[in-house]
């Protein structure tokens, strides 16, 4: 079975991030992209580098207040 870019990104995040997260596939005037929501203070440098090397879509990392992901983005 062929892995999608979202599957690849999810695997990268799971392997390099210990907190809650949410990935949404969305778009804007610049085209389609992945929006990665993580809590404030999360270390995302490694995720951004690995994503740039392994997926073609843009990745936008959005930091959120604690509890936002589990409450609002359900």
């Amino acid at each position: 079975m062929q892995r999608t870019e979202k599957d690849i990104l999810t695997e990268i995040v799971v392997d390099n991030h210990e907190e809650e997260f949410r990935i949404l596939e969305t778009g804007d005037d610049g085209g389609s992209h992945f929006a990665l929501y993580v809590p404030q203070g999360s270390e995302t440098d490694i995720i951004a580098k690995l994503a740039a090397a392994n997926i073609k879509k843009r990745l936008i990392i959005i930091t959120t207040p604690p509890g936002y992901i589990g409450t609002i983005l359900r």
Side-chain angles (χ1 to χ4, degrees), residues 25-67:
E25 196 167 353
T26 186
D28 59 16
D29 291 341
S32 63
H33 61 267
F34 291 112
L36 171 62
Y37 291 84
V38 295
Q40 289 175 334
S42 297
E43 184 59 45
T44 57
D45 293 341
I46 294 172
I47 294 170
K49 287 178 187 176
L50 290 171
N54 291 293
I55 63 173
K56 294 179 182 177
K57 274 190 184 177
R58 275 185 306 147
L59 173 64
I60 297 175
I61 299 173
I62 303 164
T63 57
T64 64

